[in-house]
Amino acid sequence: MTMPAQLQAHPFGAVLKDIRASLNLSQAALALELGSTQRHLSFLETGRSTPTPSFLARICRELNLSVAQRANLYAASGAHSPYEQRALASADVTAALDMIEARVLNNWPFPALVLDASWNILRCNAPFLIVFAPFLKAAGAESNAPANLLSIMLSDAFSGLIQNWDEAVSILYFRLQSAAAKDPLIRELFADARRRGRFANLPDMLLSQQSVPVFVPVRLNMPDGTIVEMSSLLGKLASVQDALVDGFEIELMVPLTQASETRLLCAAKPA
């Protein structure tokens, strides 16, 4: 039996229901959070009612939604959205990336980059280019599109240089699991990596762990045979109001030993 058109799920209702599910809230619990009623939320989720601008603002405020969630909510409602999502090539986004590159990346002495939600490399500094040059060339050999950091990390050429892949891959797996829920390209690359057995040793490794370390270093074999131990600092711009820029991630690679620091600084020096 076909549901009458007026009772079919409204796009806004589907988005609201997804947000509610992500917060693990029942309709009754969400109604309490919003100072509304379960009946009202039921009508919104099934398309019987449409949200007012004030109710949209209340959802965003009381649930502390991300900029991307707010933008999706407004777009689905059909109401005017204060959360514009600009194009990557727009002047405003370019200016934001220029600022990050000039003020952050170029002042970091070790490899650093800006990723979008799909882990495409939007900007990077000179130390990153020097250390990752062979992999960037391979990743961009057939396309003018940005190189993808995840594709590089999962490639045989790069993963083969990680001395402790079985140990480091557990951190990558859980980071990807979270990112895949939000981005289709990450989801596709993650699924492909699982099919290819990239994480095949993960269950045994987790079962064999006696204790969990504070953090896991990545031990990278450099071309000259030295080992560099690294981790990363991840950050975002605060007070971002654009859904696209809200998805940007700044990754600063950090050497974990004095020898690793010396090796990376030497690698970053002009020839």
Side-chain angles (χ1 to χ4, degrees):
M1 180 177 177
T2 302
M3 184 183 295
Q6 68 270 25
L7 299 186
Q8 290 179 13
H10 190 277
F12 172 81
V15 174
L16 179 60
K17 188 173 182 180
D18 284 345
I19 289 173
R20 178 169 64 78
S22 73
L23 297 172
N24 198 28
L25 293 172
S26 65
Q27 283 185 345
L30 180 56
L32 185 63
E33 288 275 349
L34 298 175
S36 183
T37 65
Q38 183 175 352
R39 184 171 184 268
H40 182 211
L41 289 179
S42 176
F43 275 29
L44 288 173
E45 289 189 0
T46 57
R48 290 181 174 90
S49 298
T50 56
T52 63
S54 62
F55 194 74
L56 284 169
R58 192 191 313 171
I59 295 172
C60 295
R61 181 182 69 247
E62 297 302 327
L63 300 184
N64 191 27
L65 300 183
S66 69
V67 175
Q69 287 174 317
R70 293 177 226 166
N72 288 341
L73 203 64
Y74 271 92
S77 73
H80 170 72
S81 175
Y83 303 102
E84 181 180 0
Q85 181 165 329
R86 297 162 179 82
L88 182 60
S90 70
D92 289 340
V93 174
T94 299
L97 287 169
D98 286 345
M99 182 277 294
I100 295 171
E101 183 176 3
R103 306 288 181 232
V104 181
L105 305 189
N106 290 345
N107 287 299
W108 188 252
F110 311 110
L113 61 160
V114 180
L115 303 171
D116 66 12
S118 300
W119 288 30
N120 293 313
I121 301 171
L122 302 180
R123 297 293 175 90
C124 59
N125 63 2
F128 180 85
L129 286 173
I130 292 170
V131 173
F132 284 80
F135 312 105
L136 290 171
K137 183 178 180 181
E142 299 177 0
S143 172
N144 292 323
N148 186 274
L149 183 64
L150 181 54
S151 294
I152 291 172
M153 293 178 68
L154 293 174
S155 68
D156 292 336
F158 185 80
S159 61
L161 296 179
I162 299 178
Q163 190 184 59
N164 62 330
W165 172 261
D166 285 346
E167 182 183 25
V169 78
S170 65
I171 305 303
L172 178 61
Y173 183 93
F174 293 118
R175 186 178 169 190
L176 290 181
Q177 196 173 47
S178 175
K182 304 172 186 176
D183 185 84
L185 179 57
I186 295 291
R187 188 156 55 246
E188 179 184 339
L189 291 172
F190 185 37
D192 180 65
R194 293 174 69 178
R195 283 193 298 269
R196 292 189 291 122
R198 280 290 185 214
F199 308 107
N201 295 332
L202 182 60
D204 291 339
M205 190 277 295
L206 292 175
L207 286 171
S208 67
Q209 281 186 330
Q210 298 301 311
S211 62
V212 178
V214 174
F215 57 84
V216 177
V218 172
R219 297 188 180 94
L220 181 66
N221 286 298
M222 299 294 281
D224 62 357
T226 58
I227 304 295
V228 171
E229 293 193 17
M230 294 188 299
S231 187
S232 292
L233 297 175
L234 301 175
K236 294 176 177 288
L237 288 176
S239 67
V240 172
Q241 296 299 300
D242 183 284
L244 176 68
V245 180
D246 187 52
F248 291 172
E249 196 165 64
I250 303 168
E251 182 154 356
L252 307 177
M253 297 185 182
V254 184
L256 300 178
T257 66
Q258 184 60 54
S260 298
E261 177 179 333
T262 301
R263 180 65 184 85
L264 284 176
L265 289 175
C266 288
K269 288 179 180 178

mmCIF file of all heavy atoms in Angstrom, residues 151-189:
data_model
loop_
_atom_site.group_PDB
_atom_site.id
_atom_site.type_symbol
_atom_site.label_atom_id
_atom_site.label_comp_id
_atom_site.label_asym_id
_atom_site.label_seq_id
_atom_site.Cartn_x
_atom_site.Cartn_y
_atom_site.Cartn_z
ATOM 1 N N SER A 151 44.640 7.571 0.152
ATOM 2 C CA SER A 151 45.110 6.712 -0.938
ATOM 3 C C SER A 151 46.617 6.493 -0.850
ATOM 4 O O SER A 151 47.117 5.391 -1.094
ATOM 5 C CB SER A 151 44.756 7.337 -2.294
ATOM 6 O OG SER A 151 43.367 7.369 -2.488
ATOM 7 N N ILE A 152 47.336 7.556 -0.493
ATOM 8 C CA ILE A 152 48.788 7.436 -0.346
ATOM 9 C C ILE A 152 49.132 6.498 0.804
ATOM 10 O O ILE A 152 49.955 5.592 0.667
ATOM 11 C CB ILE A 152 49.411 8.832 -0.104
ATOM 12 C CG1 ILE A 152 49.318 9.688 -1.371
ATOM 13 C CG2 ILE A 152 50.871 8.705 0.344
ATOM 14 C CD1 ILE A 152 49.731 11.132 -1.171
ATOM 15 N N MET A 153 48.481 6.689 1.958
ATOM 16 C CA MET A 153 48.809 5.903 3.139
ATOM 17 C C MET A 153 48.497 4.421 2.964
ATOM 18 O O MET A 153 49.182 3.560 3.509
ATOM 19 C CB MET A 153 48.063 6.462 4.351
ATOM 20 C CG MET A 153 48.521 7.839 4.775
ATOM 21 S SD MET A 153 47.563 8.485 6.168
ATOM 22 C CE MET A 153 48.083 7.388 7.480
ATOM 23 N N LEU A 154 47.448 4.112 2.185
ATOM 24 C CA LEU A 154 47.053 2.727 1.979
ATOM 25 C C LEU A 154 47.762 2.070 0.798
ATOM 26 O O LEU A 154 47.588 0.876 0.559
ATOM 27 C CB LEU A 154 45.538 2.644 1.774
ATOM 28 C CG LEU A 154 44.672 3.012 2.985
ATOM 29 C CD1 LEU A 154 43.197 3.032 2.602
ATOM 30 C CD2 LEU A 154 44.907 2.048 4.146
ATOM 31 N N SER A 155 48.560 2.850 0.062
ATOM 32 C CA SER A 155 49.267 2.280 -1.088
ATOM 33 C C SER A 155 50.372 1.344 -0.614
ATOM 34 O O SER A 155 50.921 1.482 0.489
ATOM 35 C CB SER A 155 49.877 3.398 -1.942
ATOM 36 O OG SER A 155 50.930 4.053 -1.242
ATOM 37 N N ASP A 156 50.726 0.376 -1.462
ATOM 38 C CA ASP A 156 51.808 -0.551 -1.127
ATOM 39 C C ASP A 156 53.127 0.191 -0.938
ATOM 40 O O ASP A 156 53.917 -0.145 -0.057
ATOM 41 C CB ASP A 156 51.965 -1.599 -2.233
ATOM 42 C CG ASP A 156 50.772 -2.545 -2.317
ATOM 43 O OD1 ASP A 156 50.067 -2.701 -1.294
ATOM 44 O OD2 ASP A 156 50.547 -3.125 -3.396
ATOM 45 N N ALA A 157 53.343 1.222 -1.766
ATOM 46 C CA ALA A 157 54.614 1.953 -1.720
ATOM 47 C C ALA A 157 54.812 2.623 -0.365
ATOM 48 O O ALA A 157 55.914 2.591 0.196
ATOM 49 C CB ALA A 157 54.660 2.988 -2.840
ATOM 50 N N PHE A 158 53.740 3.230 0.175
ATOM 51 C CA PHE A 158 53.884 3.946 1.443
ATOM 52 C C PHE A 158 53.770 3.015 2.646
ATOM 53 O O PHE A 158 54.605 3.049 3.548
ATOM 54 C CB PHE A 158 52.840 5.059 1.554
ATOM 55 C CG PHE A 158 53.007 5.911 2.785
ATOM 56 C CD1 PHE A 158 53.957 6.920 2.810
ATOM 57 C CD2 PHE A 158 52.237 5.695 3.925
ATOM 58 C CE1 PHE A 158 54.134 7.696 3.954
ATOM 59 C CE2 PHE A 158 52.404 6.457 5.062
ATOM 60 C CZ PHE A 158 53.356 7.470 5.078
ATOM 61 N N SER A 159 52.738 2.181 2.672
ATOM 62 C CA SER A 159 52.540 1.314 3.841
ATOM 63 C C SER A 159 53.713 0.369 4.034
ATOM 64 O O SER A 159 54.028 -0.028 5.159
ATOM 65 C CB SER A 159 51.236 0.523 3.711
ATOM 66 O OG SER A 159 51.256 -0.323 2.575
ATOM 67 N N GLY A 160 54.396 0.022 2.933
ATOM 68 C CA GLY A 160 55.571 -0.843 3.036
ATOM 69 C C GLY A 160 56.735 -0.189 3.746
ATOM 70 O O GLY A 160 57.655 -0.879 4.201
ATOM 71 N N LEU A 161 56.698 1.158 3.854
ATOM 72 C CA LEU A 161 57.775 1.877 4.533
ATOM 73 C C LEU A 161 57.487 2.081 6.020
ATOM 74 O O LEU A 161 58.344 2.555 6.753
ATOM 75 C CB LEU A 161 57.998 3.243 3.871
ATOM 76 C CG LEU A 161 58.479 3.217 2.415
ATOM 77 C CD1 LEU A 161 58.625 4.639 1.885
ATOM 78 C CD2 LEU A 161 59.808 2.471 2.300
ATOM 79 N N ILE A 162 56.276 1.740 6.449
ATOM 80 C CA ILE A 162 55.934 1.895 7.867
ATOM 81 C C ILE A 162 56.377 0.630 8.594
ATOM 82 O O ILE A 162 55.808 -0.446 8.418
ATOM 83 C CB ILE A 162 54.431 2.147 8.054
ATOM 84 C CG1 ILE A 162 54.036 3.440 7.332
ATOM 85 C CG2 ILE A 162 54.080 2.246 9.537
ATOM 86 C CD1 ILE A 162 52.556 3.761 7.405
ATOM 87 N N GLN A 163 57.406 0.783 9.400
ATOM 88 C CA GLN A 163 58.028 -0.369 10.062
ATOM 89 C C GLN A 163 57.052 -1.091 10.986
ATOM 90 O O GLN A 163 57.084 -2.317 11.118
ATOM 91 C CB GLN A 163 59.254 0.110 10.850
ATOM 92 C CG GLN A 163 60.131 -0.994 11.395
ATOM 93 C CD GLN A 163 61.259 -0.435 12.227
ATOM 94 O OE1 GLN A 163 61.025 0.248 13.219
ATOM 95 N NE2 GLN A 163 62.493 -0.710 11.810
ATOM 96 N N ASN A 164 56.178 -0.351 11.642
ATOM 97 C CA ASN A 164 55.242 -0.942 12.602
ATOM 98 C C ASN A 164 53.803 -0.843 12.092
ATOM 99 O O ASN A 164 52.895 -0.426 12.811
ATOM 100 C CB ASN A 164 55.372 -0.260 13.970
ATOM 101 C CG ASN A 164 55.040 1.232 13.919
ATOM 102 O OD1 ASN A 164 55.246 1.892 12.898
ATOM 103 N ND2 ASN A 164 54.516 1.752 15.009
ATOM 104 N N TRP A 165 53.578 -1.234 10.837
ATOM 105 C CA TRP A 165 52.257 -1.113 10.219
ATOM 106 C C TRP A 165 51.169 -1.800 11.052
ATOM 107 O O TRP A 165 50.116 -1.232 11.288
ATOM 108 C CB TRP A 165 52.275 -1.685 8.804
ATOM 109 C CG TRP A 165 50.904 -1.764 8.183
ATOM 110 C CD1 TRP A 165 50.096 -2.864 8.093
ATOM 111 C CD2 TRP A 165 50.170 -0.689 7.598
ATOM 112 N NE1 TRP A 165 48.912 -2.539 7.474
ATOM 113 C CE2 TRP A 165 48.928 -1.209 7.163
ATOM 114 C CE3 TRP A 165 50.430 0.662 7.387
ATOM 115 C CZ2 TRP A 165 47.966 -0.436 6.540
ATOM 116 C CZ3 TRP A 165 49.468 1.442 6.772
ATOM 117 C CH2 TRP A 165 48.253 0.899 6.350
ATOM 118 N N ASP A 166 51.421 -3.022 11.512
ATOM 119 C CA ASP A 166 50.405 -3.765 12.254
ATOM 120 C C ASP A 166 49.986 -3.030 13.525
ATOM 121 O O ASP A 166 48.839 -3.136 13.969
ATOM 122 C CB ASP A 166 50.904 -5.166 12.606
ATOM 123 C CG ASP A 166 50.908 -6.091 11.397
ATOM 124 O OD1 ASP A 166 50.291 -5.725 10.381
ATOM 125 O OD2 ASP A 166 51.526 -7.156 11.468
ATOM 126 N N GLU A 167 50.917 -2.299 14.108
ATOM 127 C CA GLU A 167 50.613 -1.546 15.328
ATOM 128 C C GLU A 167 49.910 -0.228 14.991
ATOM 129 O O GLU A 167 48.890 0.122 15.584
ATOM 130 C CB GLU A 167 51.911 -1.266 16.088
ATOM 131 C CG GLU A 167 51.721 -0.526 17.398
ATOM 132 C CD GLU A 167 53.049 -0.216 18.074
ATOM 133 O OE1 GLU A 167 54.083 -0.137 17.380
ATOM 134 O OE2 GLU A 167 53.036 -0.030 19.308
ATOM 135 N N ALA A 168 50.446 0.483 14.000
ATOM 136 C CA ALA A 168 49.906 1.798 13.651
ATOM 137 C C ALA A 168 48.543 1.709 12.973
ATOM 138 O O ALA A 168 47.737 2.632 13.047
ATOM 139 C CB ALA A 168 50.883 2.534 12.740
ATOM 140 N N VAL A 169 48.269 0.582 12.301
ATOM 141 C CA VAL A 169 47.040 0.469 11.522
ATOM 142 C C VAL A 169 45.798 0.484 12.412
ATOM 143 O O VAL A 169 44.712 0.863 11.963
ATOM 144 C CB VAL A 169 47.074 -0.815 10.660
ATOM 145 C CG1 VAL A 169 46.766 -2.051 11.496
ATOM 146 C CG2 VAL A 169 46.106 -0.703 9.496
ATOM 147 N N SER A 170 45.939 0.115 13.689
ATOM 148 C CA SER A 170 44.780 0.150 14.577
ATOM 149 C C SER A 170 44.296 1.575 14.782
ATOM 150 O O SER A 170 43.090 1.840 14.822
ATOM 151 C CB SER A 170 45.125 -0.487 15.931
ATOM 152 O OG SER A 170 46.111 0.264 16.612
ATOM 153 N N ILE A 171 45.229 2.516 14.890
ATOM 154 C CA ILE A 171 44.856 3.924 15.048
ATOM 155 C C ILE A 171 44.199 4.427 13.775
ATOM 156 O O ILE A 171 43.177 5.114 13.807
ATOM 157 C CB ILE A 171 46.097 4.770 15.382
ATOM 158 C CG1 ILE A 171 46.808 4.201 16.607
ATOM 159 C CG2 ILE A 171 45.710 6.218 15.596
ATOM 160 C CD1 ILE A 171 45.962 4.096 17.843
ATOM 161 N N LEU A 172 44.769 4.069 12.635
ATOM 162 C CA LEU A 172 44.204 4.479 11.355
ATOM 163 C C LEU A 172 42.804 3.903 11.175
ATOM 164 O O LEU A 172 41.889 4.588 10.718
ATOM 165 C CB LEU A 172 45.115 4.022 10.212
ATOM 166 C CG LEU A 172 44.636 4.343 8.787
ATOM 167 C CD1 LEU A 172 44.510 5.839 8.584
ATOM 168 C CD2 LEU A 172 45.578 3.732 7.756
ATOM 169 N N TYR A 173 42.615 2.649 11.557
ATOM 170 C CA TYR A 173 41.318 1.990 11.379
ATOM 171 C C TYR A 173 40.214 2.740 12.109
ATOM 172 O O TYR A 173 39.158 3.035 11.532
ATOM 173 C CB TYR A 173 41.400 0.545 11.894
ATOM 174 C CG TYR A 173 40.128 -0.248 11.698
ATOM 175 C CD1 TYR A 173 39.945 -1.029 10.559
ATOM 176 C CD2 TYR A 173 39.105 -0.214 12.643
ATOM 177 C CE1 TYR A 173 38.776 -1.750 10.372
ATOM 178 C CE2 TYR A 173 37.938 -0.938 12.464
ATOM 179 C CZ TYR A 173 37.781 -1.706 11.332
ATOM 180 O OH TYR A 173 36.611 -2.409 11.139
ATOM 181 N N PHE A 174 40.433 3.061 13.369
ATOM 182 C CA PHE A 174 39.375 3.705 14.147
ATOM 183 C C PHE A 174 39.155 5.153 13.714
ATOM 184 O O PHE A 174 38.034 5.661 13.760
ATOM 185 C CB PHE A 174 39.693 3.609 15.645
ATOM 186 C CG PHE A 174 39.644 2.204 16.156
ATOM 187 C CD1 PHE A 174 40.773 1.590 16.679
ATOM 188 C CD2 PHE A 174 38.471 1.460 16.088
ATOM 189 C CE1 PHE A 174 40.731 0.283 17.138
ATOM 190 C CE2 PHE A 174 38.418 0.148 16.542
ATOM 191 C CZ PHE A 174 39.549 -0.434 17.068
ATOM 192 N N ARG A 175 40.209 5.799 13.253
ATOM 193 C CA ARG A 175 40.048 7.159 12.714
ATOM 194 C C ARG A 175 39.224 7.117 11.423
ATOM 195 O O ARG A 175 38.343 7.946 11.212
ATOM 196 C CB ARG A 175 41.428 7.771 12.458
ATOM 197 C CG ARG A 175 41.380 9.226 12.025
ATOM 198 C CD ARG A 175 42.782 9.787 11.841
ATOM 199 N NE ARG A 175 42.755 11.080 11.177
ATOM 200 C CZ ARG A 175 43.823 11.701 10.717
ATOM 201 N NH1 ARG A 175 45.029 11.146 10.870
ATOM 202 N NH2 ARG A 175 43.718 12.870 10.103
ATOM 203 N N LEU A 176 39.497 6.134 10.581
ATOM 204 C CA LEU A 176 38.752 5.993 9.330
ATOM 205 C C LEU A 176 37.308 5.580 9.581
ATOM 206 O O LEU A 176 36.397 6.019 8.868
ATOM 207 C CB LEU A 176 39.422 4.954 8.433
ATOM 208 C CG LEU A 176 40.760 5.343 7.816
ATOM 209 C CD1 LEU A 176 41.278 4.217 6.945
ATOM 210 C CD2 LEU A 176 40.621 6.611 7.007
ATOM 211 N N GLN A 177 37.092 4.751 10.561
ATOM 212 C CA GLN A 177 35.738 4.305 10.890
ATOM 213 C C GLN A 177 34.852 5.504 11.198
ATOM 214 O O GLN A 177 33.702 5.574 10.759
ATOM 215 C CB GLN A 177 35.797 3.349 12.075
ATOM 216 C CG GLN A 177 34.544 2.520 12.277
ATOM 217 C CD GLN A 177 34.745 1.490 13.368
ATOM 218 O OE1 GLN A 177 35.250 1.810 14.453
ATOM 219 N NE2 GLN A 177 34.378 0.253 13.102
ATOM 220 N N SER A 178 35.396 6.465 11.930
ATOM 221 C CA SER A 178 34.652 7.681 12.258
ATOM 222 C C SER A 178 34.464 8.560 11.028
ATOM 223 O O SER A 178 33.366 9.062 10.765
ATOM 224 C CB SER A 178 35.389 8.449 13.360
ATOM 225 O OG SER A 178 34.756 9.676 13.625
ATOM 226 N N ALA A 179 35.534 8.732 10.240
ATOM 227 C CA ALA A 179 35.464 9.603 9.054
ATOM 228 C C ALA A 179 34.555 9.022 7.983
ATOM 229 O O ALA A 179 33.874 9.758 7.261
ATOM 230 C CB ALA A 179 36.867 9.821 8.490
ATOM 231 N N ALA A 180 34.524 7.690 7.857
ATOM 232 C CA ALA A 180 33.716 7.038 6.822
ATOM 233 C C ALA A 180 32.228 7.267 7.026
ATOM 234 O O ALA A 180 31.450 7.255 6.066
ATOM 235 C CB ALA A 180 34.016 5.542 6.796
ATOM 236 N N ALA A 181 31.821 7.490 8.272
ATOM 237 C CA ALA A 181 30.407 7.726 8.550
ATOM 238 C C ALA A 181 29.948 9.078 8.012
ATOM 239 O O ALA A 181 28.748 9.306 7.836
ATOM 240 C CB ALA A 181 30.153 7.662 10.056
ATOM 241 N N LYS A 182 30.907 9.950 7.691
ATOM 242 C CA LYS A 182 30.563 11.313 7.270
ATOM 243 C C LYS A 182 30.893 11.599 5.808
ATOM 244 O O LYS A 182 30.387 12.579 5.253
ATOM 245 C CB LYS A 182 31.315 12.331 8.148
ATOM 246 C CG LYS A 182 31.066 12.170 9.625
ATOM 247 C CD LYS A 182 31.983 13.083 10.432
ATOM 248 C CE LYS A 182 31.842 12.837 11.924
ATOM 249 N NZ LYS A 182 32.796 13.652 12.710
ATOM 250 N N ASP A 183 31.743 10.778 5.196
ATOM 251 C CA ASP A 183 32.209 11.119 3.847
ATOM 252 C C ASP A 183 32.186 9.894 2.935
ATOM 253 O O ASP A 183 32.745 8.851 3.273
ATOM 254 C CB ASP A 183 33.632 11.684 3.915
ATOM 255 C CG ASP A 183 34.117 12.162 2.559
ATOM 256 O OD1 ASP A 183 33.797 13.302 2.187
ATOM 257 O OD2 ASP A 183 34.808 11.391 1.876
ATOM 258 N N PRO A 184 31.568 10.012 1.739
ATOM 259 C CA PRO A 184 31.447 8.851 0.843
ATOM 260 C C PRO A 184 32.769 8.371 0.265
ATOM 261 O O PRO A 184 32.944 7.161 0.069
ATOM 262 C CB PRO A 184 30.503 9.355 -0.250
ATOM 263 C CG PRO A 184 30.524 10.843 -0.162
ATOM 264 C CD PRO A 184 30.795 11.168 1.261
ATOM 265 N N LEU A 185 33.702 9.281 -0.032
ATOM 266 C CA LEU A 185 34.988 8.844 -0.586
ATOM 267 C C LEU A 185 35.791 8.068 0.456
ATOM 268 O O LEU A 185 36.374 7.022 0.146
ATOM 269 C CB LEU A 185 35.798 10.038 -1.090
ATOM 270 C CG LEU A 185 37.178 9.689 -1.676
ATOM 271 C CD1 LEU A 185 37.066 8.694 -2.826
ATOM 272 C CD2 LEU A 185 37.923 10.948 -2.119
ATOM 273 N N ILE A 186 35.814 8.577 1.693
ATOM 274 C CA ILE A 186 36.495 7.849 2.762
ATOM 275 C C ILE A 186 35.853 6.482 2.948
ATOM 276 O O ILE A 186 36.539 5.463 3.119
ATOM 277 C CB ILE A 186 36.445 8.635 4.078
ATOM 278 C CG1 ILE A 186 37.220 9.947 3.961
ATOM 279 C CG2 ILE A 186 36.990 7.796 5.227
ATOM 280 C CD1 ILE A 186 38.702 9.789 3.834
ATOM 281 N N ARG A 187 34.523 6.444 2.893
ATOM 282 C CA ARG A 187 33.800 5.183 3.053
ATOM 283 C C ARG A 187 34.205 4.191 1.965
ATOM 284 O O ARG A 187 34.436 3.003 2.229
ATOM 285 C CB ARG A 187 32.296 5.463 3.012
ATOM 286 C CG ARG A 187 31.423 4.281 3.362
ATOM 287 C CD ARG A 187 30.062 4.730 3.857
ATOM 288 N NE ARG A 187 29.377 5.608 2.934
ATOM 289 C CZ ARG A 187 29.094 6.904 3.191
ATOM 290 N NH1 ARG A 187 29.457 7.464 4.328
ATOM 291 N NH2 ARG A 187 28.456 7.634 2.308
ATOM 292 N N GLU A 188 34.334 4.667 0.727
ATOM 293 C CA GLU A 188 34.718 3.804 -0.401
ATOM 294 C C GLU A 188 36.146 3.301 -0.252
ATOM 295 O O GLU A 188 36.421 2.110 -0.431
ATOM 296 C CB GLU A 188 34.572 4.598 -1.706
ATOM 297 C CG GLU A 188 34.965 3.840 -2.949
ATOM 298 C CD GLU A 188 34.891 4.700 -4.199
ATOM 299 O OE1 GLU A 188 34.177 5.733 -4.189
ATOM 300 O OE2 GLU A 188 35.566 4.352 -5.185
ATOM 301 N N LEU A 189 37.076 4.198 0.099
ATOM 302 C CA LEU A 189 38.480 3.806 0.250
ATOM 303 C C LEU A 189 38.658 2.866 1.442
ATOM 304 O O LEU A 189 39.451 1.917 1.397
ATOM 305 C CB LEU A 189 39.352 5.056 0.425
ATOM 306 C CG LEU A 189 39.477 5.957 -0.803
ATOM 307 C CD1 LEU A 189 40.198 7.253 -0.440
ATOM 308 C CD2 LEU A 189 40.201 5.249 -1.936
#
